[in-house]
Amino acid sequence: MPQKATFYHAGCSVCADAENVLAKSLDPKQFDIEIVHLGESRGRIAEAEAAGVKSVPALVIAGRPYHINHGADLAALK
Amino acid sequence: MPQKATFYHAGCSVCADAENVLAKSLDPKQFDIEIVHLGESRGRIAEAEAAGVKSVPALVIAGRPYHINHGADLAALK
């Protein structure tokens, strides 16, 4: 069964590029990917923070954060 | 035909984790992934730099650099 992967972004250009190229490059057999726009879903910022996300875009796989380049600090979205 | 993706690392723990989790998560139908240890293959640092890589671990897809978390600056490997 695919494991969950969550891609957090904030609609920034760095985020959009990472989403288009990297989030869509994950193996669909391995992952069930959810894309979360933290600017629109501010209620999920705490969940991202709890997973260790410090900036977006970031991918959380198996509960671990992978920051991809740097679009915006999470603090700037609050 | 799969396109080329290059994962540059330097054997650091952040690199190893990114390799184990992220580099191995790419869709093998979409990508042909090459793993390059820049500490052992210093001759390829220039190629990574030319693709815009500033730190490792980093993934280069379609000629664009995606820095994943931060292990070491490329400058530190020279």
Side-chain angles (χ1 to χ4, degrees), chain A residues 39-57:
Chain A
E40 292 170 356
S41 305
R42 286 173 198 274
R44 298 191 63 178
I45 291 178
E47 155 203 314
E49 261 184 335
V53 173
K54 306 239 180 280
S55 63
V56 287

Side-chain angles (χ1 to χ4, degrees), chain A residues 30 66, chain B residues 7 13-25:
Chain A
Q30 290 185 63
Y66 296 91
Chain B
F7 180 79
S13 61
V14 172
C15 297
D17 178 63
E19 179 181 342
N20 285 333
V21 178
L22 207 60
K24 292 182 179 163
S25 301

Side-chain angles (χ1 to χ4, degrees), chain B:
Chain B
M1 210 181 91
Q3 65 172 308
K4 193 178 172 187
T6 311
F7 180 79
Y8 293 101
H9 73 107
C12 58
S13 61
V14 172
C15 297
D17 178 63
E19 179 181 342
N20 285 333
V21 178
L22 207 60
K24 292 182 179 163
S25 301
L26 296 183
D27 185 352
K29 285 190 183 161
Q30 290 185 63
F31 299 97
D32 182 11
I33 305 168
E34 183 188 13
I35 310 281
V36 178
H37 188 318
L38 288 178
E40 293 171 356
S41 305
R42 286 172 200 273
R44 297 191 64 179
I45 292 178
E47 154 203 313
E49 261 184 334
V53 173
K54 307 239 181 278
S55 63
V56 287
L59 197 56
V60 172
I61 297 178
R64 290 153 93 164
Y66 296 91
H67 301 91
I68 302 157
N69 291 338
H70 185 277
D73 286 326
L74 213 60
L77 303 176
K78 290 183 186 175

Side-chain angles (χ1 to χ4, degrees), chain A residues 20-33:
Chain A
N20 285 334
V21 178
L22 206 60
K24 291 182 179 163
S25 300
L26 295 183
D27 185 353
K29 286 190 183 160
Q30 290 185 63
F31 299 98
D32 182 12
I33 304 168

